[in-house]
Structures are given as C-alpha cells and as structure tokens.
Amino acid sequence: MNAALWGAAAALFFGLADFLGRFTGRALGPRNALLGLMLVGAVMLSLYGFGSGLPVPWRAETFPVLLVAGVASMVAPLVFYKALTLGPLSLAAPITAAYPALIVPVEVAFGARPGVLDWAAMAATLLGTVVVARTAGEDPDETLAADRTNRRKSIACAALASALFAVALLAGRHAVEAYGEVQTLWVGRVVGVLALAAAMMAVRVRPVLPVRWWPVLLVQGLVDALAYLCFYIGSQGEDASAAAVASSAFMVVVVLLGWAFLRERISPACWGGILLVFGGVATLSG
C-alpha cells in the first residue's frame, strides 16, 4: 500500500474519531473526552507492547522529539475544539485541515520530490477539503459564533491547531525513524495522558468519565490511535507529502458519516468538494 493510501486510511480513522467526538465532547466536555480517548490508546498499546515484548530503545538525543509529538497531539485537538466553540465549522475546519501546507514544504526540504501530477492532485485534495468544510458546517454555538471578536479568536485558534497538528505529525514521523511506528505512538499516548492529567490537576478540574460512555471512548481511542499509526507508516519514504495531504481528507469522512447516520444534508457544492477529494487521493494513490 503506497503513501497516499496510508494517508487515506488515516483520514478514515481520523474522521471516525472526530465523528464520535461530536458525541463524547458534548456529553463529557472536550478535556474529559480527549483524556478518555488517549487513556484508551495508552492502555491498549501498553498491553500490546508489554505482552509482545516490544522494545522501546532509549535514545537521549531523539527522546525530546517523542515528547513534542505526544504533547502536540494532545494540545492540537483541544485548540481545535476551542476554535469550533468560538466560530462555525465552516470557518475553523478549513484552516485546521490546511496543515499539509506546513508539512509538504518540510517534506520537500528533506528530499520529497512530487511530480507535476502529484502537485495537481494534492492541490485538488486540499481544495476539495476546504470546499467541504466551507459548505457543510453549522454553527456549534450560534450566540458565540455570531460575535466578530469570537470569530477572530476562532481563526487564531484554528491556525494554532493547524500548526500543532503539523508539529505532532512531523515530530512523530521523525521519531518513527528512531523508535518505530508502534513505539512512537505508545510513548506519545502515555506522554499525552500524563500531560493532560497534569494540566487538569493544575486548574483543579476533576476528570469525569462515566462508565456508560466507555464503549464509545474505547472505539474512539482505538480508531484515533490507528489513524496516527497509518500516518506514521505512510510518511516513511519519498512520498510522505502524499500521505500528509490524503490524511487531511478526514473532514470528508465526518461529513459523510453525518449524512449517513444523522441525515445531515449535503449541498451540491459540498458533493463537488467530496468528488475533488476522492479524485485527488485516487490520483495520488495511482
């Protein structure tokens, strides 16, 4: 399976995790939902790692990169959720999903050499993602999002979330070269749980994770971990930029799941964006 297909698989799992996050985030709050998600990943990966005797080599020179990947992957979704609180999905999501615009130049600087067709396919995928996000979103909180100051704050938070997602994925990709895909994700999840728990304790917020929500959190934690794993696998090699761009299609998955299970309407323009994304990813994977 080539890099674009691994990126598409990451988008599928990211989208499913975000779709489930609509329910857990509203019921538990973003911090509790994220803590549950990351705790599931940390526990499952620990059981697998210790059970299989998976080695985690100690490399002092690259361990800070692991820490950065773990913390960034924890902070990024929290900032994104904040952007969605302050502004509509159609404003925050396209900015956040533009993280490949930060990743691709870095990949090119490190040796990636996309061809003309690859550049065109990546542009079509990103354009389609923006169209989908711009035409599919409703205001999560119309009172907050109607305020121009909050909309400006939403833009700032979305831009920060995009940068943090780029940092998390790039740092994780670099750490994979030293530690391996599973080990990088494992340590990153443990670091994320500890960092988020410490932050919640610092502001005296007690975690609330009701038992009835654990089945959903288990699925959400599993698919989110699989998303990062797919991205890490796809980002190894010369076609890493294709994996980054394809993974940004997670917004399409969220919209299609809402259409399929919640009967949410998809406009003709949004369908056009979806087709652009599918065409771009198909070209990249070919």
Side-chain angles (χ1 to χ4, degrees):
M1 200 156 80
N2 65 22
L5 288 177
W6 282 115
L12 175 62
F13 291 128
F14 275 134
L16 181 53
D18 285 347
F19 179 73
L20 294 174
R22 294 172 63 177
F23 305 100
T24 58
R26 291 170 185 171
L28 308 175
R31 282 179 295 195
N32 286 314
L34 184 62
L35 180 63
L37 174 156
M38 300 197 79
L39 187 59
V40 166
V43 171
M44 294 181 70
L45 287 163
S46 295
L47 290 174
Y48 173 78
F50 288 126
S52 62
L54 192 67
V56 181
W58 170 253
R59 292 185 172 89
E61 68 278 7
T62 53
F63 190 73
V65 180
L66 265 179
L67 295 179
V68 169
V71 173
S73 64
M74 179 272 292
V75 178
L78 283 178
V79 178
F80 179 46
Y81 295 152
K82 183 66 174 178
L84 291 177
T85 301
L86 296 170
L89 180 69
S90 58
L91 179 66
I95 298 172
T96 303
Y99 61 81
L102 302 173
I103 293 178
V104 172
V106 176
E107 298 292 358
V108 171
F110 278 91
R113 292 293 180 267
V116 175
L117 185 60
D118 297 321
W119 281 114
M122 288 192 288
T125 302
L126 287 174
L127 176 61
T129 300
V130 170
V131 170
V132 170
R134 290 288 296 171
T135 57
E138 298 292 338
D139 290 352
D141 187 323
E142 294 181 2
T143 303
L144 285 173
D147 185 270
R148 290 187 178 181
T149 301
N150 285 334
R151 292 174 74 90
R152 286 195 293 268
K153 290 179 180 177
S154 176
I155 292 172
C157 287
L160 178 58
S162 182
L164 287 168
F165 276 120
V167 169
L169 294 172
L170 283 170
R173 177 192 184 280
H174 183 67
V176 164
E177 297 174 358
Y179 297 95
E181 294 89 356
V182 177
Q183 294 95 324
T184 297
L185 184 60
W186 179 10
V187 176
R189 278 292 180 263
V190 173
V191 168
V193 168
L194 295 176
L196 182 54
M200 293 176 73
M201 289 176 61
V203 295
R204 298 183 179 180
V205 174
R206 188 173 69 88
V208 179
L209 298 170
V211 174
R212 67 180 181 276
W213 280 101
W214 273 108
V216 182
L217 289 171
L218 283 169
V219 177
Q220 190 182 2
L222 175 62
V223 295
D224 186 75
L226 287 172
Y228 276 95
L229 188 60
C230 288
F231 179 86
Y232 289 160
I233 295 172
S235 64
Q236 301 303 300
E238 296 181 355
D239 295 331
S241 54
V245 172
S247 70
S248 70
F250 69 89
M251 193 66 231
V252 173
V253 179
V254 175
V255 170
L256 288 175
L257 288 172
W259 171 71
F261 293 100
L262 302 179
R263 298 176 182 263
E264 294 178 346
R265 180 179 173 273
I266 298 180
S267 67
C270 188
W271 278 118
I274 291 171
L275 291 176
L276 264 178
V277 170
F278 278 119
V281 173
T283 302
L284 286 171
S285 62

